[in-house]
């Protein structure tokens, strides 16, 4: 994080703006809107800028900048096209420890002005740290389209009743649960419908009745194969609602970071033959936290119900009568194959696909090999890196052609993705020369050859998700 985002109260605080052109006018509008006491200095000042400053009770100085103008100033913005002057202003502000923003020159800044979505009193700021203002503005436009103007009125309603809620619910967790229910329920819908008075009456009744739901609940969330952009909207919404997040090795750190900052994060490990927390203990943890009245997110790589042991977890939750939700995720087979440019089915090569675990509970490979050797079937092996020699050997022994193509995908959909392609007969030797790192996914079948045929795939860098 290059800059710590802060929201600053500028009401009646003296702020100096150096510059008198269009850029300075945009900055002056922001400062005046925030209630700043504006001091403006420039030789040439646009008439509308001068009028804005005067109407806001500010001061216009037509002439040269001087360091004496920094006396008692809270914030400085340099918005000129004079590089030497901008550097002088920046140096003087740094010497006096006055926050300074130099437009389009982040190296001279101690503060950055973000792109703003104004739903007052709800304010959302987007910044690239000065690296790409255009990208920040693009992100602002996307957010503006998805955040109704009525959110500002909703925030005001919450502010009007905040003290009453605090007095009614002494426990901070009870207050949070109350507000979560309020902001996602019929009271909020009344505000969105323009019926603010009705919403206020409903909120007053809800506070009086202490209408909160502090019961525990568990969310089994499929985090996908690694790329955070593959998370579903529902997965993200429930993750950000959780008080406790249990996650394992297959969940990307960037996805874990999407949870609430105040949520407890519990690492439960689970590498091959090295479980930080055994599965049965994970099941008990889910029950324990839920019975404490907490919302619990169980983040699982891929999809919870495809080799994710989600079934075992919900069995225990159901037995303990704990409410739960299961959020499907993009399974590794789909995500990794797509990012590697390998279609799992194809009219000319494979009319079916089969998902197989590379090791069973006893770590053996006691698989129905005779069912996995059909030439028009794609077979995907999860967790099969250690057992790869046996996989290749058994498939050939049971009738699959030794020249059948096979792909091993390392850390699919992430920046560390690698794809190694060989045949059943040569893959073990190939990996001995070019080792890969877990987690991996193995794809066996004629569809693997399509990766080589789609030459444009690598040229367009689709393996990194650039579709």
């Amino acid at each position: 994080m290059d800059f710590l985002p802060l929201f600053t109260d500028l009401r009646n605080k003296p702020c100096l703006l150096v510059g008198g052109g269009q850029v300075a006018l945009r900055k002056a509008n922001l400062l005046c809107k925030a209630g700043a006491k504006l001091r403006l200095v420039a030789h040439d000042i646009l008439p509308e800028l001068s009028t804005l400053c005067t109407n806001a009770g500010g001061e216009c100085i037509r002439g040269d900048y001087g360091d004496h103008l920094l006396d008692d100033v809270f914030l400085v913005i340099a918005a000129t096209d004079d590089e030497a002057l901008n550097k002088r202003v920046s140096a003087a502000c740094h010497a006096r420890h006055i926050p300074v923003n130099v437009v389009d020159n982040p190296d001279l800044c101690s503060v950055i002005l973000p792109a703003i979505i104004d739903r007052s009193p709800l304010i959302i700021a987007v910044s690239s740290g000065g690296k790409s203002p255009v990208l920040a503005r693009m992100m602002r436009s996307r957010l503006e389209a998805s955040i109704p103007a009525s959110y500002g009125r909703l925030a005001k309603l919450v502010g009007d009743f905040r003290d009453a809620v605090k007095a009614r619910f002494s426990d901070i967790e009870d207050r949070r649960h109350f507000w979560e229910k309020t902001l996602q329920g019929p009271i909020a819908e009344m505000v969105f419908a323009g019926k603010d008075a009705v919403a206020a009456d409903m909120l007053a009744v809800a506070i009086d009745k202490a209408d909160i739901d502090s019961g525990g609940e568990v969310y089994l969330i499929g985090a996908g194969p690694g790329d955070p952009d593959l998370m579903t909207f529902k997965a993200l919404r429930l993750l950000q609602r959780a008080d406790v997040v249990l996650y394992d090795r297959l969940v990307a750190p960037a996805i874990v970071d999407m949870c609430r900052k105040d949520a407890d994060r519990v690492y439960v490990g689970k590498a091959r033959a090295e479980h930080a927390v055994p599965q049965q203990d994970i099941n008990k943890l889910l029950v324990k936290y839920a019975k404490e009245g907490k919302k619990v997110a169980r983040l699982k790589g891929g999809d919870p119900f495809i080799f994710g042991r989600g079934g075992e977890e919900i069995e225990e939750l159901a037995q303990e009568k704990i409410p739960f939700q299961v959020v499907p995720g993009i399974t590794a087979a789909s995500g990794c194959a797509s990012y590697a440019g390998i279609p799992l089915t194809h009219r000319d090569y494979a009319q079916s696909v089969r998902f197989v675990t590379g090791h069973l509970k006893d770590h053996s490979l006691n698989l129905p090999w005779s069912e996995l050797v059909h030439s028009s079937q794609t077979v995907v092996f999860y967790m099969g890196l250690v057992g790869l020699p046996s996989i290749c050997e058994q498939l050939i022994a049971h009738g699959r052609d030794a020249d059948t193509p096979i792909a091993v995908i390392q850390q699919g959909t992430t920046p560390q993705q690698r794809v190694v392609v060989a045949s059943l007969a040569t893959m073990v030797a190939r990996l001995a020369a070019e080792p890969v790192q877990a987690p991996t996914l193995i794809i066996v079948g004629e569809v693997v050859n399509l990766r080589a045929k789609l030459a444009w795939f690598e040229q367009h860098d689709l393996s990194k998700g650039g579709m």
Side-chain angles (χ1 to χ4, degrees):
M1 185 186 296
D2 295 330
F3 288 85
L4 176 67
L6 297 172
F7 288 85
T8 304
D9 182 1
L10 293 183
R11 288 172 294 182
N12 297 317
K13 292 185 172 63
C15 297
L16 176 65
L17 178 59
V18 184
Q22 286 292 341
V23 176
L25 177 60
R26 292 198 298 270
K27 304 306 178 186
N29 272 309
L30 286 174
L31 292 172
C32 290
K33 196 171 184 180
K37 186 177 179 181
L38 186 59
R39 181 183 298 169
L40 174 67
V41 59
H43 277 283
D44 299 313
I45 302 175
L46 291 173
E48 55 265 47
L49 178 54
S50 176
T51 300
L52 174 66
C53 183
T54 302
N55 290 345
E59 176 186 8
C60 283
I61 303 171
R62 297 181 184 274
D64 292 330
Y65 160 83
D67 290 350
H68 66 282
L69 295 173
L70 299 178
D71 294 345
D72 301 320
V73 167
F74 185 80
L75 171 70
V76 175
I77 298 178
T80 81
D81 56 6
D82 185 334
E83 185 176 351
L85 176 56
N86 288 342
K87 288 182 177 179
R88 179 184 168 192
V89 172
S90 175
C93 289
H94 279 85
R96 296 194 186 198
H97 304 293
I98 299 173
V100 60
N101 173 262
V102 180
V103 177
D104 287 337
N105 197 330
D107 291 339
L108 299 181
C109 297
S110 61
V111 295
I112 296 293
L113 298 186
I116 295 171
I117 300 104
D118 188 357
R119 301 289 187 267
S120 294
L122 179 67
I123 303 293
I124 301 168
V126 181
S127 175
S128 65
K131 300 294 191 298
S132 179
V134 172
L135 179 60
R137 288 195 293 270
M138 288 171 58
M139 292 301 300
R140 177 190 64 189
S141 296
R142 292 188 181 186
L143 289 171
E144 278 188 317
S146 62
I147 301 173
S150 52
Y151 268 58
R153 303 201 321 275
L154 182 59
K156 183 180 183 304
L157 177 67
V158 170
D160 291 343
F161 282 86
R162 187 175 181 185
D163 288 342
V165 171
K166 189 173 183 179
R168 188 70 178 87
F169 308 117
S170 59
D171 183 80
I172 189 171
E173 287 299 308
D174 286 346
R175 290 200 296 271
R176 185 173 62 76
H177 286 304
F178 176 84
W179 283 124
E180 284 179 350
K181 183 175 182 180
T182 298
L183 294 173
Q184 298 176 82
I187 293 174
E189 292 300 327
M190 286 295 103
V191 175
F192 298 153
K195 301 177 181 179
D196 295 28
V198 174
D201 291 342
M202 291 172 63
L203 183 51
V205 171
I207 294 171
D208 184 59
K209 289 183 175 180
D211 188 12
I212 64 171
D213 176 14
S214 58
E217 186 176 9
V218 175
Y219 316 128
L220 268 64
I221 299 175
D227 184 348
D229 287 347
L230 296 180
M231 288 270 286
T232 65
F233 288 124
K234 184 174 183 180
L236 182 59
R237 175 169 58 83
L238 293 181
L239 176 60
Q240 293 177 342
R241 188 187 297 180
D243 307 305
V244 183
V245 178
L246 277 65
Y247 66 99
D248 56 45
R249 183 181 62 95
L250 296 178
V251 179
I255 293 176
V256 179
D257 286 341
M258 290 178 176
C259 70
R260 289 197 343 250
K261 298 305 179 187
D262 61 336
D264 293 330
R265 305 180 186 189
V266 181
Y267 176 67
V268 292
K270 300 191 76 173
R272 190 187 73 87
E274 184 184 338
H275 290 193
V277 180
Q279 182 62 51
Q280 188 55 40
D281 290 349
I282 294 174
N283 300 347
K284 291 178 179 178
L285 279 175
L286 296 175
V287 172
K288 170 183 175 293
Y289 288 126
K291 286 188 172 181
E292 291 173 358
K294 296 177 179 178
K295 310 297 184 186
V296 187
R298 172 67 171 107
L299 268 179
K300 307 175 80 67
D303 182 277
F305 283 0
I306 299 181
F307 304 126
R309 305 186 74 171
E312 298 173 44
E313 292 172 353
I314 65 169
E315 274 188 291
E316 188 136 352
L317 295 172
Q319 182 177 333
E320 296 289 339
K321 295 182 171 53
I322 292 172
F324 62 84
Q325 298 185 50
V326 180
V327 183
I330 293 179
T331 188
S334 179
C336 297
S338 296
Y339 277 49
I342 302 172
L344 293 177
T345 62
H346 188 285
R347 183 173 60 180
D348 298 330
Y349 300 102
Q351 290 74 52
S352 65
V353 60
R354 187 149 178 177
F355 298 165
V356 183
T357 179
H359 67 83
L360 302 180
K361 284 187 176 181
D362 59 0
H363 303 292
S364 68
L365 277 173
N366 183 23
L367 299 175
W369 297 108
S370 59
E371 300 175 11
L372 306 179
V373 296
H374 198 287
S375 61
S376 62
Q377 174 180 253
T378 302
V379 184
V380 180
F381 290 88
Y382 286 68
M383 302 165 287
L385 183 59
V386 173
L388 181 63
S390 293
I391 290 172
C392 294
E393 178 184 339
Q394 291 294 333
L395 287 175
I396 294 172
H398 284 79
R400 196 86 193 232
D401 193 315
D403 291 330
T404 300
I406 175 174
V408 176
I409 304 171
Q410 166 191 290
Q411 300 177 39
T413 78
T414 74
Q416 292 74 42
Q417 175 175 301
R418 280 183 57 214
V419 183
V420 179
V421 176
S423 68
L424 288 176
T426 61
M427 179 57 84
V428 174
R430 177 78 181 274
L431 290 187
E434 301 177 34
V436 295
Q437 296 180 347
T440 59
L441 189 87
I442 300 169
I443 302 176
V444 178
E446 298 301 324
V447 292
V448 173
N449 283 332
L450 292 172
R451 174 179 166 83
K453 292 182 179 180
L454 301 177
W456 54 267
F457 184 87
E458 293 290 357
Q459 295 171 6
H460 290 77
D461 203 22
L462 298 187
S463 63
K464 295 181 175 62
M467 293 188 178

